[in-house]
Amino acid sequence: MRSLEAELESARELAVDDLADAIESIGFECTRCGACCTGHGEDEHTATVFPDEVRRLEDVPTDDNLEGETVPDAEDREWRDVARPMPYGLEEGDDGLEGETFEWALETDGCGDCAFYVEDEAGVGACTVHEDRPLICRTYPFSVGLAGTSQPMGEAVDSVSLPAQAGADSEDKAGVLRAHECEGLGREISREDAEELARALKERAVRELEEAIGVRDEYEPADQEPGEVVVHDSEGAKRVDGTPLDE
């Protein structure tokens, strides 16, 4: 099994042109259906967000042209308005979820939808922080398949193998572009949009591996109270409000 550091080097060597070619071969156009921003049945929306993205979204004004925001205005917004502990690995205790987890997810509203998502009267969805949305939102429904990168929101419904980079000694270092369930797949995409999406995908693949390495290096078993949730990220152990556990 390759190390996370080796996978990070592979991610840094991903060719944007190759990613764009793969995106074009599958095709994509956002239909604003909202499926990637909303919960489904009892499953809440779970989109991974990096710690620095949470801090940025604490201060980003929401779009004044979109009504129905479920988060406070930027001047009053706090960590818990933006992100919640990723529920995977947590258990239901007497007072709610407890335990340790290793990622942050975007906060959700009472319906399980992303707190930054709204719909107009016609049911057309929109993101109230679209220009500053996290990388996972910028790149969905695609992800890059490397050993240390994630596979969000279910199994892939399509995939394209990426060419091996110069100097690679085996095809398994090349990686795979994965497409996840989305009604916008299969639609024509311009080369300009494919390249923009490819750049974001490469950045996300690199960031995911940097975060994984940081979590590994910073991790120490938490001395937590009963009924407490601890989130381990690349900056160390945190409480649900984003403050360091050791403060």
Side-chain angles (χ1 to χ4, degrees), residues 27 58 74 90 119 155 221:
E58 283 185 272
L90 301 180
E119 288 184 354
E155 296 295 322

Side-chain angles (χ1 to χ4, degrees), residues 28-39:
F28 170 69
E29 180 184 16
C30 179
T31 65
R32 296 180 64 182
C33 68
C36 62
C37 303
T38 56

Side-chain angles (χ1 to χ4, degrees), residues 9-30:
E9 287 306 307
S10 294
R12 287 171 173 164
E13 293 172 0
L14 286 168
V16 170
D17 282 345
D18 291 340
L19 282 168
D21 289 343
I23 291 168
E24 281 188 309
S25 72
I26 294 175
F28 170 69
E29 180 184 16
C30 179

Side-chain angles (χ1 to χ4, degrees), residues 80-102:
R80 293 182 69 168
D81 298 315
V82 175
R84 63 190 177 96
M86 187 67 79
Y88 308 134
L90 301 180
E91 298 180 352
E92 192 69 37
D94 293 337
D95 299 316
L97 291 176
E98 61 183 20
E100 298 177 79
T101 187
F102 294 87

